[in-house]
Amino acid sequence: QQDLHSCPTRRPSGLLRDRNLYENIALTLYVIGARHNEIADRVENMIDQVGLVGKENHAPDELSGGEQQRACIARALVKDPEIILADEPTGNLDTKTGLEIIALLRRLNEENGVTIITATHDTKMLDVSDRIFHMVDGRVDKIESRDEIDLQVGTLDGEEVG
């Protein structure tokens, strides 16, 4: 069993075009031989967690870019991996949905001990980062802990962001 999952979130074309949303998310569980009732429970839960309830029978081309990205994130998370590699996991999402995905990643880390490695330009991701590696010209320039960074991103709908 592989405990590492990555999903091409910057290019949602990683979804299978001939499968609907539910089937795309369930694919990983079918491959590892999960029981049908376990697949249904986990996929429905994940669809709810990423805010795609009601879209289960939609083909990828019927979903917006942000919905495709959330579907790809759900597919990466449905197997409960120990490590998640995420390239710009909030890149195609509006601010509110991006914050919901950040909260989901934070919850996975805190409650399930999932290690999450992200490559991003989104400063909101600092909120779920223990360590930040600053890259310059493809090389690590500086490593900081979250506590060492003083960043004020702002507010959204009256709530502090970042």
Side-chain angles (χ1 to χ4, degrees), residues 3 80-84 104-116 130:
D3 291 321
D80 294 325
E82 292 181 14
I83 299 173
I84 297 171
L104 174 61
L105 294 173
R106 181 187 310 113
R107 199 168 58 248
L108 284 167
N109 175 259
E110 292 172 355
E111 295 174 6
N112 301 356
V114 175
T115 298
I116 301 165
D130 295 325

Side-chain angles (χ1 to χ4, degrees), residues 65-120:
E67 288 170 337
Q68 289 180 27
Q69 186 158 354
R70 286 185 280 156
C72 199
I73 289 168
R75 188 174 65 194
L77 300 178
V78 75
K79 191 178 145 283
D80 294 325
E82 292 181 14
I83 299 173
I84 297 171
L85 301 175
D87 184 9
E88 299 285 0
T90 59
N92 290 332
L93 305 177
D94 61 80
T95 302
K96 183 176 185 291
T97 304
L99 290 171
E100 290 169 0
I101 294 302
I102 289 169
L104 174 61
L105 294 173
R106 181 187 310 113
R107 199 168 58 248
L108 284 167
N109 175 259
E110 292 172 355
E111 295 174 6
N112 301 356
V114 175
T115 298
I116 301 165
I117 301 169
T118 61
T120 186

Side-chain angles (χ1 to χ4, degrees), residues 21-68:
L21 170 69
Y22 182 96
E23 294 164 335
N24 265 286
I25 295 171
L27 178 64
T28 303
L29 298 174
Y30 284 117
V31 169
I32 65 169
R35 294 183 321 274
H36 182 71
N37 61 337
E38 178 186 6
I39 291 172
D41 290 344
R42 289 171 73 173
V43 171
E44 289 168 16
N45 178 50
M46 193 52 58
I47 287 172
D48 181 51
Q49 286 191 51
V50 298
L52 292 174
V53 172
K55 306 277 185 173
E56 294 87 342
N57 294 314
H58 286 67
D61 292 339
E62 298 173 329
L63 302 172
S64 71
E67 288 170 337
Q68 289 180 27

